mmCIF file of all heavy atoms in Angstrom:
data_model
loop_
_atom_site.group_PDB
_atom_site.id
_atom_site.type_symbol
_atom_site.label_atom_id
_atom_site.label_comp_id
_atom_site.label_asym_id
_atom_site.label_seq_id
_atom_site.Cartn_x
_atom_site.Cartn_y
_atom_site.Cartn_z
ATOM 1 N N ASP O 1092 19.144 -13.237 14.212
ATOM 2 C CA ASP O 1092 20.420 -13.008 13.550
ATOM 3 C C ASP O 1092 20.240 -13.104 12.012
ATOM 4 O O ASP O 1092 20.002 -14.191 11.498
ATOM 5 C CB ASP O 1092 21.454 -14.045 14.006
ATOM 6 C CG ASP O 1092 22.828 -13.871 13.384
ATOM 7 O OD1 ASP O 1092 22.978 -13.055 12.435
ATOM 8 O OD2 ASP O 1092 23.785 -14.532 13.793
ATOM 9 N N PHE O 1093 20.262 -11.969 11.351
ATOM 10 C CA PHE O 1093 20.001 -11.948 9.884
ATOM 11 C C PHE O 1093 21.006 -12.794 9.133
ATOM 12 O O PHE O 1093 20.655 -13.456 8.146
ATOM 13 C CB PHE O 1093 19.975 -10.512 9.359
ATOM 14 C CG PHE O 1093 19.757 -10.451 7.860
ATOM 15 C CD1 PHE O 1093 18.587 -10.893 7.280
ATOM 16 C CD2 PHE O 1093 20.805 -10.043 7.034
ATOM 17 C CE1 PHE O 1093 18.412 -10.840 5.911
ATOM 18 C CE2 PHE O 1093 20.657 -10.007 5.654
ATOM 19 C CZ PHE O 1093 19.486 -10.369 5.080
ATOM 20 N N ALA O 1094 22.275 -12.798 9.530
ATOM 21 C CA ALA O 1094 23.300 -13.565 8.835
ATOM 22 C C ALA O 1094 22.976 -15.040 8.863
ATOM 23 O O ALA O 1094 23.133 -15.733 7.888
ATOM 24 C CB ALA O 1094 24.680 -13.315 9.441
ATOM 25 N N ALA O 1095 22.494 -15.514 10.010
ATOM 26 C CA ALA O 1095 22.122 -16.919 10.143
ATOM 27 C C ALA O 1095 20.858 -17.196 9.333
ATOM 28 O O ALA O 1095 20.749 -18.282 8.695
ATOM 29 C CB ALA O 1095 21.849 -17.285 11.629
ATOM 30 N N GLN O 1096 19.923 -16.283 9.291
ATOM 31 C CA GLN O 1096 18.690 -16.450 8.473
ATOM 32 C C GLN O 1096 19.108 -16.523 7.021
ATOM 33 O O GLN O 1096 18.525 -17.305 6.255
ATOM 34 C CB GLN O 1096 17.758 -15.305 8.729
ATOM 35 C CG GLN O 1096 17.093 -15.225 10.086
ATOM 36 C CD GLN O 1096 16.175 -14.063 10.236
ATOM 37 O OE1 GLN O 1096 16.451 -12.957 9.671
ATOM 38 N NE2 GLN O 1096 15.060 -14.212 10.965
ATOM 39 N N PHE O 1097 20.036 -15.690 6.584
ATOM 40 C CA PHE O 1097 20.447 -15.654 5.176
ATOM 41 C C PHE O 1097 21.053 -16.977 4.746
ATOM 42 O O PHE O 1097 20.746 -17.468 3.660
ATOM 43 C CB PHE O 1097 21.451 -14.497 4.961
ATOM 44 C CG PHE O 1097 21.752 -14.215 3.556
ATOM 45 C CD1 PHE O 1097 20.898 -13.394 2.807
ATOM 46 C CD2 PHE O 1097 22.819 -14.745 2.921
ATOM 47 C CE1 PHE O 1097 21.146 -13.117 1.478
ATOM 48 C CE2 PHE O 1097 23.110 -14.490 1.570
ATOM 49 C CZ PHE O 1097 22.239 -13.652 0.851
ATOM 50 N N GLU O 1098 21.848 -17.576 5.606
ATOM 51 C CA GLU O 1098 22.446 -18.909 5.245
ATOM 52 C C GLU O 1098 21.361 -19.947 5.173
ATOM 53 O O GLU O 1098 21.402 -20.852 4.298
ATOM 54 C CB GLU O 1098 23.548 -19.242 6.260
ATOM 55 C CG GLU O 1098 24.751 -18.362 6.262
ATOM 56 C CD GLU O 1098 25.388 -18.179 4.904
ATOM 57 O OE1 GLU O 1098 25.549 -19.211 4.213
ATOM 58 O OE2 GLU O 1098 25.751 -17.051 4.537
ATOM 59 N N THR O 1099 20.364 -19.874 6.047
ATOM 60 C CA THR O 1099 19.263 -20.817 5.991
ATOM 61 C C THR O 1099 18.458 -20.629 4.684
ATOM 62 O O THR O 1099 18.060 -21.627 4.091
ATOM 63 C CB THR O 1099 18.326 -20.601 7.210
ATOM 64 O OG1 THR O 1099 19.051 -20.776 8.410
ATOM 65 C CG2 THR O 1099 17.126 -21.544 7.192
ATOM 66 N N LEU O 1100 18.273 -19.394 4.315
ATOM 67 C CA LEU O 1100 17.578 -19.079 3.060
ATOM 68 C C LEU O 1100 18.275 -19.706 1.877
ATOM 69 O O LEU O 1100 17.671 -20.383 1.023
ATOM 70 C CB LEU O 1100 17.527 -17.558 2.885
ATOM 71 C CG LEU O 1100 17.285 -17.006 1.492
ATOM 72 C CD1 LEU O 1100 15.925 -17.413 0.945
ATOM 73 C CD2 LEU O 1100 17.410 -15.493 1.513
ATOM 74 N N LEU O 1101 19.587 -19.632 1.845
ATOM 75 C CA LEU O 1101 20.390 -20.196 0.699
ATOM 76 C C LEU O 1101 20.215 -21.725 0.641
ATOM 77 O O LEU O 1101 20.142 -22.345 -0.351
ATOM 78 C CB LEU O 1101 21.846 -19.776 0.837
ATOM 79 C CG LEU O 1101 22.183 -18.373 0.485
ATOM 80 C CD1 LEU O 1101 23.581 -17.995 0.959
ATOM 81 C CD2 LEU O 1101 22.088 -18.174 -0.995
ATOM 82 N N LYS O 1102 20.195 -22.290 1.846
ATOM 83 C CA LYS O 1102 20.058 -23.755 1.969
ATOM 84 C C LYS O 1102 18.658 -24.220 1.490
ATOM 85 O O LYS O 1102 18.547 -25.246 0.802
ATOM 86 C CB LYS O 1102 20.344 -24.227 3.426
ATOM 87 C CG LYS O 1102 20.259 -25.717 3.605
ATOM 88 C CD LYS O 1102 20.724 -26.136 4.991
ATOM 89 C CE LYS O 1102 19.793 -25.682 6.075
ATOM 90 N NZ LYS O 1102 20.186 -26.198 7.416
ATOM 91 N N LEU O 1103 17.648 -23.473 1.820
ATOM 92 C CA LEU O 1103 16.264 -23.883 1.556
ATOM 93 C C LEU O 1103 15.909 -23.663 0.036
ATOM 94 O O LEU O 1103 14.975 -24.306 -0.492
ATOM 95 C CB LEU O 1103 15.286 -23.110 2.444
ATOM 96 C CG LEU O 1103 15.371 -23.497 3.877
ATOM 97 C CD1 LEU O 1103 14.483 -22.594 4.729
ATOM 98 C CD2 LEU O 1103 14.929 -24.963 4.098
ATOM 99 N N ARG O 1104 16.545 -22.685 -0.595
ATOM 100 C CA ARG O 1104 16.319 -22.437 -2.011
ATOM 101 C C ARG O 1104 14.856 -22.284 -2.434
ATOM 102 O O ARG O 1104 14.347 -23.064 -3.288
ATOM 103 C CB ARG O 1104 17.002 -23.499 -2.870
ATOM 104 C CG ARG O 1104 18.484 -23.584 -2.716
ATOM 105 C CD ARG O 1104 19.114 -24.463 -3.741
ATOM 106 N NE ARG O 1104 20.596 -24.420 -3.605
ATOM 107 C CZ ARG O 1104 21.427 -24.553 -4.651
ATOM 108 N NH1 ARG O 1104 20.975 -24.690 -5.858
ATOM 109 N NH2 ARG O 1104 22.721 -24.518 -4.416
ATOM 110 N N PRO O 1105 14.129 -21.348 -1.871
ATOM 111 C CA PRO O 1105 12.742 -21.065 -2.344
ATOM 112 C C PRO O 1105 12.821 -20.489 -3.771
ATOM 113 O O PRO O 1105 13.907 -20.056 -4.178
ATOM 114 C CB PRO O 1105 12.213 -20.043 -1.367
ATOM 115 C CG PRO O 1105 13.454 -19.296 -0.943
ATOM 116 C CD PRO O 1105 14.536 -20.348 -0.880
ATOM 117 N N ALA O 1106 11.720 -20.403 -4.439
ATOM 118 C CA ALA O 1106 11.708 -19.879 -5.764
ATOM 119 C C ALA O 1106 12.067 -18.391 -5.745
ATOM 120 O O ALA O 1106 12.674 -17.851 -6.717
ATOM 121 C CB ALA O 1106 10.327 -20.053 -6.411
ATOM 122 N N ALA O 1107 11.654 -17.699 -4.718
ATOM 123 C CA ALA O 1107 11.894 -16.241 -4.663
ATOM 124 C C ALA O 1107 12.032 -15.818 -3.226
ATOM 125 O O ALA O 1107 11.604 -16.469 -2.285
ATOM 126 C CB ALA O 1107 10.756 -15.476 -5.301
ATOM 127 N N VAL O 1108 12.665 -14.624 -3.020
ATOM 128 C CA VAL O 1108 12.837 -14.073 -1.695
ATOM 129 C C VAL O 1108 12.638 -12.542 -1.819
ATOM 130 O O VAL O 1108 13.068 -11.953 -2.836
ATOM 131 C CB VAL O 1108 14.203 -14.370 -1.071
ATOM 132 C CG1 VAL O 1108 15.354 -13.829 -1.938
ATOM 133 C CG2 VAL O 1108 14.318 -13.785 0.364
ATOM 134 N N SER O 1109 12.008 -11.947 -0.832
ATOM 135 C CA SER O 1109 11.883 -10.466 -0.844
ATOM 136 C C SER O 1109 12.470 -9.961 0.429
ATOM 137 O O SER O 1109 12.510 -10.654 1.444
ATOM 138 C CB SER O 1109 10.433 -10.050 -0.982
ATOM 139 O OG SER O 1109 9.677 -10.413 0.084
ATOM 140 N N PHE O 1110 12.940 -8.721 0.382
ATOM 141 C CA PHE O 1110 13.572 -8.081 1.510
ATOM 142 C C PHE O 1110 12.985 -6.686 1.767
ATOM 143 O O PHE O 1110 12.539 -6.023 0.795
ATOM 144 C CB PHE O 1110 15.093 -7.925 1.255
ATOM 145 C CG PHE O 1110 15.820 -9.238 1.116
ATOM 146 C CD1 PHE O 1110 16.047 -9.758 -0.148
ATOM 147 C CD2 PHE O 1110 16.259 -9.935 2.220
ATOM 148 C CE1 PHE O 1110 16.738 -10.959 -0.307
ATOM 149 C CE2 PHE O 1110 16.947 -11.146 2.057
ATOM 150 C CZ PHE O 1110 17.144 -11.633 0.809
ATOM 151 N N THR O 1111 13.047 -6.264 3.009
ATOM 152 C CA THR O 1111 12.564 -4.921 3.338
ATOM 153 C C THR O 1111 13.386 -4.380 4.510
ATOM 154 O O THR O 1111 14.188 -5.111 5.091
ATOM 155 C CB THR O 1111 11.055 -4.941 3.721
ATOM 156 O OG1 THR O 1111 10.626 -3.589 3.857
ATOM 157 C CG2 THR O 1111 10.804 -5.692 5.019
ATOM 158 N N PHE O 1112 13.268 -3.093 4.764
ATOM 159 C CA PHE O 1112 13.956 -2.333 5.847
ATOM 160 C C PHE O 1112 15.329 -1.874 5.415
ATOM 161 O O PHE O 1112 15.898 -0.950 5.957
ATOM 162 C CB PHE O 1112 14.131 -3.103 7.161
ATOM 163 C CG PHE O 1112 12.838 -3.273 7.919
ATOM 164 C CD1 PHE O 1112 11.588 -3.028 7.358
ATOM 165 C CD2 PHE O 1112 12.855 -3.753 9.214
ATOM 166 C CE1 PHE O 1112 10.408 -3.183 8.067
ATOM 167 C CE2 PHE O 1112 11.687 -3.958 9.961
ATOM 168 C CZ PHE O 1112 10.483 -3.644 9.370
ATOM 169 N N ASN O 1113 15.965 -2.556 4.449
ATOM 170 C CA ASN O 1113 17.253 -2.135 4.014
ATOM 171 C C ASN O 1113 17.581 -2.854 2.703
ATOM 172 O O ASN O 1113 16.723 -3.563 2.143
ATOM 173 C CB ASN O 1113 18.341 -2.414 5.047
ATOM 174 C CG ASN O 1113 19.493 -1.401 5.002
ATOM 175 O OD1 ASN O 1113 19.815 -0.863 3.975
ATOM 176 N ND2 ASN O 1113 20.075 -1.113 6.149
ATOM 177 N N ILE O 1114 18.781 -2.678 2.152
ATOM 178 C CA ILE O 1114 19.176 -3.260 0.868
ATOM 179 C C ILE O 1114 20.354 -4.205 1.145
ATOM 180 O O ILE O 1114 21.173 -4.015 2.025
ATOM 181 C CB ILE O 1114 19.553 -2.157 -0.081
ATOM 182 C CG1 ILE O 1114 19.700 -2.727 -1.565
ATOM 183 C CG2 ILE O 1114 20.767 -1.382 0.329
ATOM 184 C CD1 ILE O 1114 19.790 -1.635 -2.575
ATOM 185 N N LEU O 1115 20.427 -5.240 0.273
ATOM 186 C CA LEU O 1115 21.521 -6.199 0.366
ATOM 187 C C LEU O 1115 22.774 -5.673 -0.252
ATOM 188 O O LEU O 1115 22.727 -4.586 -0.896
ATOM 189 C CB LEU O 1115 21.150 -7.501 -0.394
ATOM 190 C CG LEU O 1115 19.985 -8.323 0.148
ATOM 191 C CD1 LEU O 1115 19.794 -9.534 -0.780
ATOM 192 C CD2 LEU O 1115 20.156 -8.784 1.587
ATOM 193 N N GLU O 1116 23.875 -6.365 -0.054
ATOM 194 C CA GLU O 1116 25.098 -6.086 -0.820
ATOM 195 C C GLU O 1116 24.999 -6.858 -2.122
ATOM 196 O O GLU O 1116 24.420 -7.923 -2.198
ATOM 197 C CB GLU O 1116 26.298 -6.499 0.028
ATOM 198 C CG GLU O 1116 26.449 -5.711 1.307
ATOM 199 C CD GLU O 1116 27.599 -6.213 2.153
ATOM 200 O OE1 GLU O 1116 28.291 -7.173 1.688
ATOM 201 O OE2 GLU O 1116 27.802 -5.719 3.235
ATOM 202 N N ALA O 1117 25.679 -6.378 -3.122
ATOM 203 C CA ALA O 1117 25.687 -7.033 -4.427
ATOM 204 C C ALA O 1117 26.102 -8.522 -4.366
ATOM 205 O O ALA O 1117 25.555 -9.373 -5.066
ATOM 206 C CB ALA O 1117 26.529 -6.283 -5.457
ATOM 207 N N VAL O 1118 27.145 -8.761 -3.492
ATOM 208 C CA VAL O 1118 27.620 -10.148 -3.386
ATOM 209 C C VAL O 1118 26.541 -11.061 -2.827
ATOM 210 O O VAL O 1118 26.468 -12.285 -3.170
ATOM 211 C CB VAL O 1118 28.893 -10.197 -2.541
ATOM 212 C CG1 VAL O 1118 28.573 -9.765 -1.081
ATOM 213 C CG2 VAL O 1118 29.543 -11.550 -2.621
ATOM 214 N N GLN O 1119 25.652 -10.534 -1.975
ATOM 215 C CA GLN O 1119 24.591 -11.351 -1.442
ATOM 216 C C GLN O 1119 23.555 -11.688 -2.539
ATOM 217 O O GLN O 1119 23.065 -12.807 -2.589
ATOM 218 C CB GLN O 1119 23.908 -10.628 -0.275
ATOM 219 C CG GLN O 1119 24.758 -10.496 0.950
ATOM 220 C CD GLN O 1119 24.121 -9.632 2.012
ATOM 221 O OE1 GLN O 1119 23.711 -8.495 1.752
ATOM 222 N NE2 GLN O 1119 24.027 -10.165 3.255
ATOM 223 N N VAL O 1120 23.285 -10.699 -3.389
ATOM 224 C CA VAL O 1120 22.381 -10.940 -4.535
ATOM 225 C C VAL O 1120 22.941 -12.006 -5.410
ATOM 226 O O VAL O 1120 22.288 -12.944 -5.903
ATOM 227 C CB VAL O 1120 22.129 -9.658 -5.280
ATOM 228 C CG1 VAL O 1120 21.297 -9.925 -6.533
ATOM 229 C CG2 VAL O 1120 21.350 -8.650 -4.368
ATOM 230 N N GLU O 1121 24.263 -11.939 -5.658
ATOM 231 C CA GLU O 1121 24.904 -12.916 -6.489
ATOM 232 C C GLU O 1121 24.827 -14.315 -5.919
ATOM 233 O O GLU O 1121 24.597 -15.292 -6.656
ATOM 234 C CB GLU O 1121 26.389 -12.551 -6.710
ATOM 235 C CG GLU O 1121 26.606 -11.299 -7.509
ATOM 236 C CD GLU O 1121 28.089 -10.878 -7.582
ATOM 237 O OE1 GLU O 1121 28.921 -11.619 -6.984
ATOM 238 O OE2 GLU O 1121 28.356 -9.791 -8.128
ATOM 239 N N ARG O 1122 24.975 -14.433 -4.625
ATOM 240 C CA ARG O 1122 24.858 -15.752 -3.944
ATOM 241 C C ARG O 1122 23.431 -16.301 -4.117
ATOM 242 O O ARG O 1122 23.252 -17.509 -4.325
ATOM 243 C CB ARG O 1122 25.238 -15.620 -2.499
ATOM 244 C CG ARG O 1122 26.661 -15.375 -2.224
ATOM 245 C CD ARG O 1122 26.980 -15.395 -0.720
ATOM 246 N NE ARG O 1122 26.854 -16.748 -0.191
ATOM 247 C CZ ARG O 1122 26.765 -17.042 1.105
ATOM 248 N NH1 ARG O 1122 26.718 -16.086 2.003
ATOM 249 N NH2 ARG O 1122 26.672 -18.289 1.460
ATOM 250 N N LEU O 1123 22.457 -15.435 -3.984
ATOM 251 C CA LEU O 1123 21.073 -15.866 -4.114
ATOM 252 C C LEU O 1123 20.783 -16.353 -5.536
ATOM 253 O O LEU O 1123 20.166 -17.394 -5.766
ATOM 254 C CB LEU O 1123 20.098 -14.756 -3.692
ATOM 255 C CG LEU O 1123 20.123 -14.414 -2.201
ATOM 256 C CD1 LEU O 1123 19.417 -13.079 -1.932
ATOM 257 C CD2 LEU O 1123 19.463 -15.516 -1.402
ATOM 258 N N HIS O 1124 21.246 -15.567 -6.456
ATOM 259 C CA HIS O 1124 21.064 -15.929 -7.902
ATOM 260 C C HIS O 1124 21.834 -17.271 -8.189
ATOM 261 O O HIS O 1124 21.350 -18.089 -8.942
ATOM 262 C CB HIS O 1124 21.630 -14.836 -8.842
ATOM 263 C CG HIS O 1124 20.707 -13.665 -8.960
ATOM 264 N ND1 HIS O 1124 21.075 -12.417 -9.406
ATOM 265 C CD2 HIS O 1124 19.367 -13.572 -8.649
ATOM 266 C CE1 HIS O 1124 20.027 -11.592 -9.397
ATOM 267 N NE2 HIS O 1124 18.968 -12.288 -8.947
ATOM 268 N N GLY O 1125 22.947 -17.415 -7.566
ATOM 269 C CA GLY O 1125 23.678 -18.719 -7.727
ATOM 270 C C GLY O 1125 22.925 -19.923 -7.265
ATOM 271 O O GLY O 1125 23.090 -21.033 -7.698
ATOM 272 N N ALA O 1126 22.025 -19.644 -6.294
ATOM 273 C CA ALA O 1126 21.200 -20.754 -5.696
ATOM 274 C C ALA O 1126 19.847 -20.825 -6.464
ATOM 275 O O ALA O 1126 18.937 -21.597 -6.073
ATOM 276 C CB ALA O 1126 20.922 -20.486 -4.241
ATOM 277 N N GLY O 1127 19.689 -20.013 -7.537
ATOM 278 C CA GLY O 1127 18.448 -20.075 -8.303
ATOM 279 C C GLY O 1127 17.263 -19.401 -7.690
ATOM 280 O O GLY O 1127 16.113 -19.695 -8.020
ATOM 281 N N ILE O 1128 17.544 -18.393 -6.798
ATOM 282 C CA ILE O 1128 16.481 -17.708 -6.120
ATOM 283 C C ILE O 1128 16.268 -16.332 -6.675
ATOM 284 O O ILE O 1128 17.222 -15.507 -6.815
ATOM 285 C CB ILE O 1128 16.827 -17.564 -4.622
ATOM 286 C CG1 ILE O 1128 17.117 -18.907 -4.020
ATOM 287 C CG2 ILE O 1128 15.727 -16.846 -3.860
ATOM 288 C CD1 ILE O 1128 17.723 -18.848 -2.612
ATOM 289 N N ALA O 1129 15.047 -15.957 -7.089
ATOM 290 C CA ALA O 1129 14.722 -14.658 -7.570
ATOM 291 C C ALA O 1129 14.734 -13.642 -6.416
ATOM 292 O O ALA O 1129 14.230 -14.000 -5.346
ATOM 293 C CB ALA O 1129 13.374 -14.635 -8.281
ATOM 294 N N VAL O 1130 15.296 -12.512 -6.632
ATOM 295 C CA VAL O 1130 15.505 -11.486 -5.588
ATOM 296 C C VAL O 1130 14.588 -10.260 -5.773
ATOM 297 O O VAL O 1130 14.606 -9.653 -6.857
ATOM 298 C CB VAL O 1130 16.955 -11.040 -5.483
ATOM 299 C CG1 VAL O 1130 17.144 -9.958 -4.408
ATOM 300 C CG2 VAL O 1130 17.883 -12.215 -5.221
#
Side-chain angles (χ1 to χ4, degrees):
D1092 182 350
F1093 176 67
Q1096 290 179 326
F1097 191 83
E1098 295 305 316
T1099 301
L1100 161 63
L1101 286 167
K1102 181 170 69 173
L1103 293 173
R1104 297 191 176 212
V1108 60
S1109 66
F1110 297 96
T1111 189
F1112 288 13
N1113 211 329
I1114 191 168
L1115 295 179
E1116 298 175 1
V1118 66
Q1119 291 174 308
V1120 174
E1121 290 174 6
R1122 291 185 69 195
L1123 291 166
H1124 283 162
I1128 305 169
V1130 178

